[in-house]
Amino acid sequence: MAVTQQLARVPAEYLDSCRQSANASEDGDPLWGPPSTDVLDLDWALFLLERVCELGGLDDVHRSALWQALDGDTAIDLAFLNTQPHAISPFGPAPTALSAGQVARAAELLGQIDFPALLATLPTDEEEAASLLGNGADKIVGGPKKYVLGHFNALREFYRDASQRQLLVVLWWD
């Protein structure tokens, strides 16, 4: 089973409810289960997204926004989601989250990134591009450019919707 990056859009009240459930439960069960429509599986795209931005020369402000959108922040206490046997991230680092304000800022900056232009800086030959990207890009069926663009667009749309709905984003590896 592959470990992949997951994101969930949730209201602050939902996190509070999960925290209360974990505190009330003998085994710390937070009853975590956001709707599937509010969960995004980024697979292993994180590493390739970062590499495309590096190779494409994305400026520091937008690279930092992308990094935060993919890495989260530790300011919101999510220890209750990382307690066995109900840990949502048993194979990776502790879950992180972004506040609604951070989500809005990330959505704004992700919306400004011209990702096709970044991809255009890569070699036109998919094998050459995959070699330059590394991180297993040579094994992506259909080519790495299509894969990375699809995941970037999904990430941008995910944050745009979370921002419009004033939701937090929780990130973890599962």
Side-chain angles (χ1 to χ4, degrees), residues 2-163:
V3 178
T4 61
Q5 187 177 33
Q6 308 290 312
L7 293 85
R9 300 178 286 225
V10 297
E13 298 80 16
Y14 180 76
L15 273 186
D16 291 340
S17 173
C18 288
R19 185 177 290 110
Q20 290 171 7
S21 294
N23 289 336
S25 170
E26 284 186 23
D27 64 354
D29 188 353
L31 301 177
W32 174 257
S36 61
T37 55
D38 282 322
V39 175
L40 175 65
D41 182 342
L42 275 183
D43 198 34
W44 281 95
L46 163 89
F47 308 109
L48 297 174
L49 288 166
E50 291 174 348
R51 184 74 173 135
V52 166
C53 291
E54 176 187 336
L55 294 169
L58 186 64
D59 64 89
D60 290 342
V61 170
H62 290 92
R63 279 179 68 183
S64 292
L66 176 65
W67 179 252
Q68 186 176 41
L70 294 169
D71 198 39
D73 191 322
T74 58
I76 297 173
D77 178 18
L78 298 178
F80 65 94
L81 292 177
N82 204 33
T83 303
Q84 295 297 342
H86 304 286
I88 68 169
S89 185
F91 306 111
T96 59
L98 295 178
S99 69
Q102 290 171 312
V103 167
R105 181 72 176 143
E108 176 187 347
L109 291 171
L110 289 174
Q112 296 171 2
I113 297 173
D114 184 353
F115 207 79
L118 296 172
L119 286 172
T121 66
L122 297 176
T124 54
D125 180 76
E126 287 286 343
E127 288 181 22
E128 288 180 43
S131 177
L132 193 59
L133 290 171
N135 296 299
D138 59 326
K139 298 187 181 10
I140 297 173
V141 177
K145 291 179 183 179
K146 181 178 177 184
Y147 172 86
V148 176
L149 179 60
H151 282 81
F152 178 79
N153 288 338
L155 179 71
R156 180 177 16 213
E157 181 59 34
F158 187 83
Y159 270 91
R160 183 177 333 167
D161 182 70
S163 175

